[in-house]
């Protein structure tokens, strides 16, 4: 897909979906409840703009007892692993094509 897109001269990025590893998932009801609570508190405090994301992340982390932070770290690590696998596979493909 990457090679086809770029060989056609198409600009822009490529989105690749990569779910969180199953062992690090937080049940939907639990995480949704934590997010809803964080959003309600954020609105009540009048927090807006660039302070929203740090507030929500910290509040959800507190509500989940640290589970959300662990889940986010696992997701980042899984994304980095997949990105590396894609880069290596693409480099091999390009090297094979150029030979």
């Amino acid at each position: 897909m990457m090679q086809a897109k770029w060989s056609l001269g198409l600009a822009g990025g490529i989105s690749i979906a990569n779910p969180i590893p199953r062992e690090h998932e937080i049940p939907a009801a639990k995480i949704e409840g934590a997010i809803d609570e964080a959003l309600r508190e954020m609105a009540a405090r009048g927090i807006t703009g660039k302070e929203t994301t740090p507030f929500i992340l910290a509040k959800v982390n507190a509500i989940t007892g640290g589970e959300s932070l662990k889940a986010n770290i696992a997701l980042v690590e899984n994304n980095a692993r997949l990105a590396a696998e894609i880069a290596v596979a693409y480099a091999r493909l390009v090297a094979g094509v150029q030979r």
Side-chain angles (χ1 to χ4, degrees), residues 6-7 12 15 18 20 24 29 34 37 42-43 54-55 62 68 71 74 86 90-91 93 98:
W6 291 324
S7 70
S15 292
N18 187 29
I20 189 167
H24 296 286
E37 184 178 333
M42 184 181 72
F55 177 83
S68 65
I86 291 169
Y90 186 73
L93 176 68
Q98 293 178 351

Side-chain angles (χ1 to χ4, degrees), residues 11-32:
I14 296 171
S15 292
I16 299 171
N18 187 29
I20 189 167
R22 190 170 298 278
E23 64 271 17
H24 296 286
E25 287 180 357
I26 299 173
K30 182 175 186 175
I31 197 68
E32 288 170 9

Side-chain angles (χ1 to χ4, degrees), residues 47-95:
I47 296 171
T48 61
K50 66 181 182 179
E51 295 180 16
T52 58
T53 299
F55 177 83
I56 291 171
L57 289 173
K59 186 67 179 177
V60 169
N61 187 51
I63 294 167
T64 62
E67 278 186 86
S68 65
L69 178 59
K70 290 177 186 174
N72 282 331
I73 291 169
L75 180 58
V76 168
E77 289 172 345
N78 197 41
N79 287 346
R81 180 199 51 76
L82 180 60
E85 288 177 13
I86 291 169
V88 168
Y90 186 73
R92 287 181 179 149
L93 176 68
V94 170

